[in-house]
Amino acid sequence: MFRLKGCTKTYLAVTVTGALTVVFGVVLFPLGDYLIREQIKKKVVIADNGDSESYEIWQENPIPLYMAFYLFNVDNVEEVLSGGKPMLTERGPYTYREHRVKFDIVWNQNGTVTYRQNRTFAFVPEMSNGSESDMVHTLNPLIASLAQGFRYLPSAIKSIISTVLKMTGTRSVFVQRPVQELIWGYNDPVLVTLSQFIPGFSQTAVGYFIRKNYTDDGLYTVETGDQNINNLGTITRYNGKKHVDVWTTPWTNMVNGTDGSCAPPFLFDVNSVEVFQSDTCRSVKLDYEKEVSSPQGISLKRYTLGPSTFANASVNPDNLGFCTPQTNCLPSGLQNNTACEKPVDGVRVPLILSLPHFLYVDPDVQNSVDGLKPVVHDHETRMDIEPWTGFPMQINKRIQINFFVEQVEGFSQMQNIRRLFFPILWMDENIVIDNEHADKIKDEMFLPMSILLGVKIGLLVVGCLILIAITLLIFRKRYKENHSDICKSTLK
C-alpha cells in the first residue's frame, strides 16, 4: 500500500491549507460584496419596522438643513422709473433653519408610502449677514402682478385701477420693506382696501415665500424600495396623479425621480439622477460631474444641474412644453413659472425662474441689469451623493425669482419702465452632513467594509505566501536530494 512519508504529508497539508486560504479569500470578494449590499438594503429601505436605520432620518430629518435668501436691492430707483438700466446690489444671506417632518404617513400594499411633509423656518442670526429688519428697495409685486393680469382690459379701466392705487398710496412700481416682510409677507394697503369693498376678495398679504412656513407642499406617494431597491424614493404619484397639469406637453408634465431627500443605493455607474421640485412644478435631471469628498472625508459623487435644464426650446427641443403658450418661449435660461403659481383672487403672479445671477441665461438678459456676477460654483444647483447608500450628504438647491415687467398702457406707475426680467431674490436650500451622522455612517458601514476588505486581502496574501513558501521548500528539498545523489555518484 502506498504511503506518504511524514515530511511529504506535512508539505501536502500546508499546500492544501494555503490553497484553501487563497480560495476562501477569492470567494470572500463577491460573497462579501453581496452581504454588504444586503445589509445596506435593509438599512436604507423606507420601513418603520426597526430594521431600517434610515427611517428616522427620512421621517424627520435631524441633519441641519438651511434656507439662505439673497435679496437684490435697487440702487437707482429714479433712473429705472425714467427708463434706465437697474443697478442691483446683493444683500444677505438671510439664513433660516429649515425643519421638515413627514406626517399623515400611510403604508400601501404595493410597496409605496404616502405622506405629507410640513416645513418650518426659524431665522439664524449668526449665519446671516444682516437682520430681518434690514430695509430693501425692490419691485412692488402687487403692481407688477396687476399690470400683467389686467393688461388686456380696456385702457379706461386700467387707468381707473391705476388711480385707485395712487389713492391708497401706491404711486411707484417699487417698494421699500424689511427683509422679513418681503419674504414671509405683509398686508398691502391696496389689498386691504379692496377686501373691504369687493365681496370674496380675501387675500390681503403679499410676500415671496408666503404660505410656505408651517405648511406642506403636497401629497407624495413614493417607492419604499422594499420590492425593488433600485426604485427607492421614486415618486409614483404627486397629489394623487402621475403628472402635473401645468405645462403643454405630456413629457414636461411627467413627475420623475425622487424628492431629493434620498436616492437608490449603489450609484456607482449612474450618469444622472432625477429630482421632482414642487416649487417649480417639474422634474429636473442632474448629471454626474466629478468625485468630491464630504468635510469628514467620505467619497461622494457630484451631480449638477446643467445649462440644458432651462434652455430655450431652440437649444433643447425637449423644453418646448415649458413655453406657455408654446408660441411664446422665453430667452434661454428662463422658465415662465406663472402657470405653476396658485392664482391670488384670480390674478396670477408673473414669476420667472432662473439660476442665481442669471447663470446660463441668454447674454442679452444678463446685460439688461447691472450688478450680477454669475459664478458656476457659487450659483449652480448640485447634489453630492454617497454612492453605496444613495444618501445625499451635500445639497445646494439654488433658484432665482424674477418678475416680468413692461410698460402697460393705463398704469402710470409703469409708464417709462423698460421691458425686463427683473431679479428679486435667490435662494440656496442647502445641507451638509454633520459629524455625528458622518461618524455613524463610517462606524456602521465603512468600518466593517474596511475590516472585510482587510480580511479578504489578508487571506489572499497569507495564502499566497504559504504557497510560495511551500514551493520554495520543495524546490530546496529536491535540490538537496539531487545534490546528494551527485556527490554519491562522484565518490563511487
Side-chain angles (χ1 to χ4, degrees):
M1 187 174 179
F2 179 75
R3 292 186 180 180
L4 295 174
K5 295 181 179 180
C7 185
T8 304
K9 288 182 179 180
T10 303
Y11 286 163
L12 181 59
V14 173
T15 302
V16 171
T17 301
L20 289 176
T21 303
V22 171
V23 170
F24 191 52
V26 171
V27 170
L28 261 185
F29 273 90
L31 179 61
D33 287 346
Y34 171 79
L35 294 175
I36 289 173
R37 287 173 178 265
E38 290 302 307
Q39 286 300 312
I40 290 175
K41 288 179 184 180
K42 291 181 181 180
K43 292 178 182 292
V44 301
V45 70
I46 302 172
D48 189 14
N49 56 11
D51 292 333
S52 174
E53 296 187 5
S54 64
Y55 174 77
E56 292 183 0
I57 296 178
W58 175 83
Q59 193 271 328
E60 184 174 357
N61 188 4
I63 302 173
L65 173 64
Y66 299 97
M67 178 73 83
F69 292 91
Y70 298 80
L71 282 72
F72 293 110
N73 185 77
V74 184
D75 297 334
N76 58 337
V77 170
E78 296 303 323
E79 291 181 26
V80 177
L81 290 174
S82 300
K85 180 191 291 190
M87 172 62 74
L88 308 177
T89 299
E90 182 180 279
R91 306 280 291 276
Y94 300 96
T95 304
Y96 294 79
R97 174 71 186 267
E98 182 177 348
H99 186 216
R100 295 184 177 188
V101 179
K102 292 179 175 65
F103 65 101
D104 288 349
I105 299 173
V106 178
W107 302 97
N108 306 311
Q109 294 183 350
N110 63 348
T112 64
V113 59
T114 300
Y115 63 90
R116 293 182 181 275
Q117 182 171 248
N118 189 51
R119 302 164 69 190
T120 58
F121 299 85
F123 187 62
V124 186
E126 60 271 20
M127 298 181 66
S128 303
N129 183 22
S131 71
E132 290 184 295
S133 61
D134 289 351
M135 302 296 288
V136 176
H137 227 141
T138 186
L139 198 70
N140 188 325
L142 175 63
I143 300 299
S145 299
L146 291 178
Q148 286 299 309
F150 298 149
R151 67 184 183 279
Y152 297 121
L153 293 178
S155 297
I157 295 179
K158 289 184 287 188
S159 296
I160 293 174
I161 295 174
S162 179
T163 301
V164 172
L165 291 173
K166 290 181 180 178
M167 292 174 61
T168 57
T170 308
R171 299 178 177 275
S172 172
V173 71
F174 291 101
V175 66
Q176 191 174 34
R177 288 279 182 175
V179 168
Q180 183 182 35
E181 293 186 359
L182 291 172
I183 296 175
W184 305 110
Y186 61 93
N187 285 323
D188 187 278
V190 175
L191 297 179
V192 172
T193 301
L194 290 176
S195 67
Q196 296 172 351
F197 295 98
I198 302 177
F201 194 97
S202 58
Q203 182 64 39
T204 61
V206 296
Y208 292 105
F209 229 58
I210 197 171
R211 298 189 301 272
K212 300 291 187 181
N213 205 359
Y214 297 97
T215 59
D216 68 87
D217 62 339
L219 184 68
Y220 289 85
T221 299
V222 306
E223 295 273 3
T224 64
D226 181 56
Q227 296 185 359
N228 187 345
I229 196 65
N230 294 323
N231 293 332
L232 173 67
T234 300
I235 301 170
T236 60
R237 292 183 181 273
Y238 176 67
N239 288 330
K241 298 180 179 180
K242 296 182 179 180
H243 57 82
V244 295
D245 299 312
V246 176
W247 313 111
T248 58
T249 63
W251 185 87
T252 50
N253 275 321
M254 291 175 65
V255 176
N256 297 321
T258 71
D259 66 356
S261 63
C262 66
F266 318 129
L267 299 178
F268 303 110
D269 300 312
V270 176
N271 293 322
S272 63
V273 295
E274 288 190 284
V275 177
F276 175 74
Q277 299 179 332
S278 61
D279 293 338
T280 61
C281 297
R282 63 167 294 184
S283 294
V284 297
K285 185 175 72 171
L286 292 88
D287 296 317
Y288 172 71
E289 180 183 321
K290 61 181 179 180
E291 300 283 337
V292 296
S293 296
S294 74
Q296 299 81 13
I298 299 174
S299 296
L300 311 174
K301 295 173 70 71
R302 171 163 293 177
Y303 295 85
T304 58
L305 202 65
S308 63
T309 303
F310 295 126
N312 185 279
S314 62
V315 178
N316 182 5
D318 289 340
N319 285 346
L320 180 64
F322 296 118
C323 301
T324 52
Q326 287 190 0
T327 55
N328 183 27
C329 290
L330 298 182
S332 203
L334 301 175
Q335 176 180 301
N336 187 350
N337 214 52
T338 304
C340 177
E341 300 296 323
K342 294 181 179 179
V344 179
D345 289 315
V347 178
R348 288 194 176 274
V349 182
L351 288 185
I352 308 296
L353 302 182
S354 70
L355 290 177
H357 284 245
F358 285 150
L359 178 66
Y360 303 140
V361 177
D362 186 286
D364 289 339
V365 177
Q366 291 182 344
N367 296 328
S368 65
V369 298
D370 289 330
L372 302 189
K373 298 177 181 178
V375 178
V376 173
H377 181 270
D378 295 336
H379 302 132
E380 70 177 354
T381 287
R382 57 177 174 257
M383 180 183 297
D384 299 339
I385 300 176
E386 197 290 302
W388 277 97
T389 61
F391 186 73
M393 291 193 173
Q394 297 177 163
I395 299 176
N396 289 98
K397 177 186 172 185
R398 293 161 171 156
I399 198 73
Q400 180 169 300
I401 293 177
N402 313 282
F403 250 91
F404 176 69
V405 296
E406 63 179 348
Q407 296 178 23
V408 178
E409 185 180 359
F411 276 86
S412 61
Q413 291 89 344
M414 307 185 70
Q415 62 183 2
N416 294 318
I417 199 167
R418 292 185 179 190
R419 187 178 185 274
L420 292 167
F421 299 101
F422 209 104
I424 304 298
L425 60 85
W426 67 274
M427 302 165 286
D428 181 5
E429 191 173 30
N430 60 88
I431 186 171
V432 177
I433 191 166
D434 55 2
N435 292 334
E436 177 185 351
H437 290 88
D439 290 342
K440 185 176 181 180
I441 290 176
K442 285 182 178 180
D443 293 341
E444 294 183 359
M445 189 179 74
F446 292 123
L447 181 59
M449 287 172 62
S450 298
I451 293 173
L452 181 59
L453 179 62
V455 170
K456 291 186 290 188
I457 294 175
L459 288 172
L460 286 176
V461 171
V462 171
C464 289
L465 289 175
I466 291 173
L467 292 176
I468 291 171
I470 198 64
T471 302
L472 291 175
L473 286 173
I474 291 173
F475 274 114
R476 183 171 178 268
K477 181 176 181 297
R478 287 184 176 179
Y479 173 78
K480 285 184 175 180
E481 289 175 349
N482 292 335
H483 186 70
S484 176
D485 291 341
I486 293 171
C487 289
K488 290 178 179 178
S489 299
T490 303
L491 290 173
K492 287 180 181 180

